[in-house]
Amino acid sequence: MKTPQLLLINFIFCSILFGQWEKVPLELGNPNAMIEYKGKIYIGGGFKGFYVSEDGGNSWLVMNEGIIANTFETFSFVIFDGLYACTIAGVYKLDEINKKWEKEYLFSAKTMYKNGNLILISNHPKGLVRSVDNGKTWENEKIDEFMNCYSIISFNNYLFCTSISGLFRSDSTGVTWEKINSEHFTKLFIEDSSLNSIQGWRLAKTWDMGYSWIEEEYFYDYLTDYLRIANKKFVCADQNIIYCKTENLDRWRAAIQVLSDQMEPEITKDLFTHDRYIYLCSGNGLWRRLISDFDQPELSLSGLTKDSCKIDDIYAFQFYLSNAGFDTLKISDIVSSNPNFWIIETKYNIPSDYSYGVLVYYYPYNVGEDSTTFTVFSNSKATIENHLFKIYVIPSDYYLSQNFPNPFNAWTEIAYSISKPEFVSVKMYNSLGQFVKNIVSEIQTGGNHICYISSENLASGVYFYRLTSGNFYDVKKMILLK
């Protein structure tokens, strides 16, 4: 890979907003891994190499010097006696003084482990590659025919290796391995002095050094990563779903669920945190969101679709306030700009992931369209939200009026009312009862309507017009004088 010219990308003002998630504008391909090392953030992407940020993620530099490869993809970063990048083109180590990468090992690596002279590299499809003399000689440890190592972790003087074909364990020398569980293990992590795991669709914890596992939580999506930030826990899954659990919630709930052109499904890979943000490595780029968002309520309003009612009705309807955030949503007031809309209850405390219905009575005075703006005051990020609602008031009965003017010369108009949407027919007949022409022949909404008749090609005389709508019909007489 040729070393491109250093490229400075400023994050401020050029991020793409996606709800409350911001897309970091980096040409990474598919970002697979992130890590913080000595105050700097490093990102490894698919086919695009590395980026580094020295100011907490506000600006980024391309950092590909030393990488020579026709194809390139980063799988993970690890820190031992320096920063290592495990890639499809080999294992690279960061030269901090010269700010470049040096290839340490030729093996295509998903991850690695290093302790003194012991080095373990996950080399697909060969399984584990081991060196006990600091990389001078190597041995292949083909423990299982289907072994495809995801991660290697040290816990209580044992080494653990996760794989799609099971969990493998060795003593601290890494020489002899045994398969201790046949479940599908994606990741191991240490939390509260216990060994935990991601196993396909569930989070689990072991009590006997990996032989048996207790299910902590089951999800209906395949999990790819886990992250804990203070009192908040996050997991990401395929289909670009992130679940979050905080001390204010007694359950996990979706923090993002997006199936769109912006975030490709089934390629969510990695979670990372730095300073005020949580980062998501997704199928089409790097996204971030403020961690403080997961301490706040979030108002969502639904049910305000255009409606209709009859003129002599007192019309009752509901719209819904939902809390899509992570703390109690407090509605301090709901105000209508139109006094004809009366809100029964205007104060609510809505727990996270709950919805409450707001009952409204409407008193119509005139036939036609009416509207109001509901203003909701709350403790969410947008403390004041305005929502427009429209309603159409229709007559309570059918009516056909006398044409005007009558008698008429050039034009006359006919007003009529129908009480609901249905097919309407207005036809014109001569004094002998013979059909002359159709004036109206279509489906119309309930309410007041007007049609027009031209005297063109008509002789002077007496005519009749008939309105038919559903089971209703009426006939009236009109006179044409030329």
Side-chain angles (χ1 to χ4, degrees):
M1 178 181 291
K2 294 183 179 180
T3 304
Q5 185 177 1
L6 285 181
L7 173 64
L8 178 63
I9 300 178
N10 289 316
F11 181 71
I12 302 173
F13 303 124
C14 60
S15 63
I16 301 173
L17 294 181
F18 190 75
Q20 292 176 311
W21 290 83
E22 303 169 320
K23 187 174 183 182
V24 182
L26 302 178
E27 294 297 327
L28 283 168
N30 297 333
N32 295 339
M34 293 184 69
I35 199 166
E36 182 179 357
Y37 180 66
K38 294 187 177 180
K40 301 176 184 179
I41 307 175
Y42 294 85
I43 305 176
F47 314 110
K48 298 292 183 180
F50 301 104
Y51 282 83
V52 60
S53 175
E54 300 181 359
D55 58 2
N58 290 319
S59 61
W60 298 85
L61 289 169
V62 176
M63 190 179 183
N64 288 339
E65 186 175 352
I67 299 173
I68 303 174
N70 292 325
T71 59
F72 188 86
E73 184 173 4
T74 308
F75 293 120
S76 64
F77 291 104
V78 288
I79 300 173
F80 297 109
D81 55 343
L83 177 61
Y84 291 83
C86 299
T87 79
I88 196 172
V91 178
Y92 288 84
K93 184 178 181 181
L94 176 64
D95 181 345
E96 301 175 49
I97 297 176
N98 297 311
K99 296 185 177 181
K100 67 178 184 178
W101 298 92
E102 295 181 348
K103 182 175 283 191
E104 288 284 295
Y105 312 115
L106 299 176
F107 305 103
S108 173
K110 284 194 171 181
T111 187
M112 69 172 286
Y113 172 82
K114 188 174 183 180
N115 184 14
N117 289 328
L118 173 64
I119 303 173
L120 297 171
I121 292 178
S122 167
N123 176 233
H124 178 71
K126 295 181 179 181
L128 280 179
V129 180
R130 179 181 61 242
S131 173
V132 294
D133 54 11
N134 201 26
K136 294 179 181 179
T137 60
W138 296 89
E139 297 175 341
N140 177 39
E141 186 70 29
K142 189 66 174 180
I143 310 168
D144 187 281
E145 181 180 358
F146 301 102
M147 184 176 182
N148 184 6
C149 180
Y150 291 132
S151 64
I152 306 168
I153 191 171
S154 174
F155 179 72
N156 283 2
N157 296 318
Y158 284 96
L159 294 174
F160 294 87
C161 176
T162 63
S163 169
I164 192 173
S165 61
L167 179 64
F168 301 85
R169 191 181 71 182
S170 172
D171 61 18
S172 59
T173 65
V175 175
T176 303
W177 293 81
E178 66 170 325
K179 187 175 183 177
I180 60 174
N181 194 293
S182 297
E183 296 291 332
H184 179 178
F185 286 80
T186 307
K187 181 178 181 178
L188 295 178
F189 56 95
I190 301 169
E191 185 174 274
D192 298 330
S193 301
S194 298
L195 185 61
N196 299 262
S197 69
I198 295 176
Q199 298 177 24
W201 292 263
R202 69 175 187 160
L203 295 176
K205 179 185 294 185
T206 183
W207 52 272
D208 57 2
M209 296 304 292
Y211 287 103
S212 305
W213 294 83
I214 302 171
E215 182 175 287
E216 297 281 290
E217 192 72 36
Y218 184 86
F219 299 82
Y220 291 93
D221 302 283
Y222 183 82
L223 306 181
T224 57
D225 201 8
Y226 172 90
L227 178 66
R228 181 173 178 175
I229 309 172
N231 63 343
K232 303 175 184 65
K233 299 178 181 180
F234 299 88
V235 293
C236 64
D238 57 9
Q239 303 295 330
N240 281 323
I241 302 174
I242 294 180
Y243 294 98
C244 176
K245 185 177 183 180
T246 71
E247 62 182 4
N248 297 321
L249 293 174
D250 58 359
R251 64 194 179 282
W252 291 82
R253 57 152 301 172
I256 181 172
Q257 184 170 357
V258 182
L259 299 175
S260 73
D261 295 336
Q262 290 203 23
M263 298 184 77
E264 298 175 10
E266 300 183 7
I267 322 178
T268 307
K269 298 178 180 178
D270 197 24
L271 292 170
F272 174 76
T273 183
H274 178 78
D275 193 20
R276 301 176 299 145
Y277 291 95
I278 179 173
Y279 289 83
L280 167 66
C281 295
S282 182
N284 72 335
L286 179 67
W287 300 76
R288 75 178 189 176
R289 182 177 179 178
L290 286 169
I291 299 171
S292 60
D293 285 348
F294 300 95
D295 292 319
Q296 298 181 3
E298 183 177 333
L299 173 62
S300 174
L301 190 147
S302 61
L304 284 179
T305 56
K306 188 174 181 179
D307 210 340
S308 63
C309 69
K310 293 184 179 181
I311 184 66
D312 56 356
D313 287 345
I314 298 176
Y315 183 65
F317 65 95
Q318 275 189 323
F319 63 89
Y320 298 90
L321 302 176
S322 302
N323 183 4
F326 294 86
D327 199 1
T328 300
L329 175 65
K330 298 179 180 180
I331 307 296
S332 57
D333 201 6
I334 308 172
V335 178
S336 170
S337 63
N338 186 334
N340 295 343
F341 293 83
W342 182 32
I343 305 169
I344 303 303
E345 177 61 50
T346 61
K347 292 179 173 60
Y348 297 88
N349 287 329
I350 306 175
S352 177
D353 227 14
Y354 279 80
S355 297
Y356 287 178
V358 179
L359 180 61
V360 181
Y361 285 109
Y362 171 62
Y363 299 86
Y365 284 95
N366 298 300
V367 171
E369 187 176 82
D370 200 0
S371 65
T372 188
T373 297
F374 292 109
T375 302
V376 182
F377 299 85
S378 74
N379 64 333
S380 64
K381 257 191 168 182
T383 55
I384 301 175
E385 293 193 18
N386 297 311
H387 299 270
L388 178 65
F389 174 69
K390 294 182 179 180
I391 191 167
Y392 195 82
V393 182
I394 60 178
S396 58
D397 207 349
Y398 295 86
Y399 177 74
L400 177 63
S401 66
Q402 183 64 53
N403 67 301
F404 179 84
N406 188 42
F408 71 99
N409 179 269
W411 291 88
T412 190
E413 67 176 35
I414 300 171
Y416 58 93
S417 301
I418 59 175
S419 63
K420 61 183 179 180
E422 57 189 352
F423 183 82
V424 176
S425 170
V426 179
K427 296 183 178 181
M428 183 176 177
Y429 299 87
N430 61 23
S431 58
L432 300 177
Q434 297 170 328
F435 173 76
V436 176
K437 63 179 178 178
N438 282 318
I439 310 302
V440 177
S441 182
E442 63 183 9
I443 296 176
Q444 293 185 333
T445 59
N448 296 329
H449 299 271
I450 296 176
C451 63
Y452 300 90
I453 297 176
S454 169
S455 64
E456 185 177 0
N457 299 324
L458 295 177
S460 297
V462 175
Y463 293 89
F464 297 88
Y465 57 96
R466 173 180 171 134
L467 168 68
T468 304
S469 181
N471 295 323
F472 172 82
Y473 71 91
D474 194 7
V475 179
K476 292 190 180 295
K477 182 174 69 173
M478 61 182 174
I479 300 173
L480 170 59
L481 294 177
K482 285 191 172 180

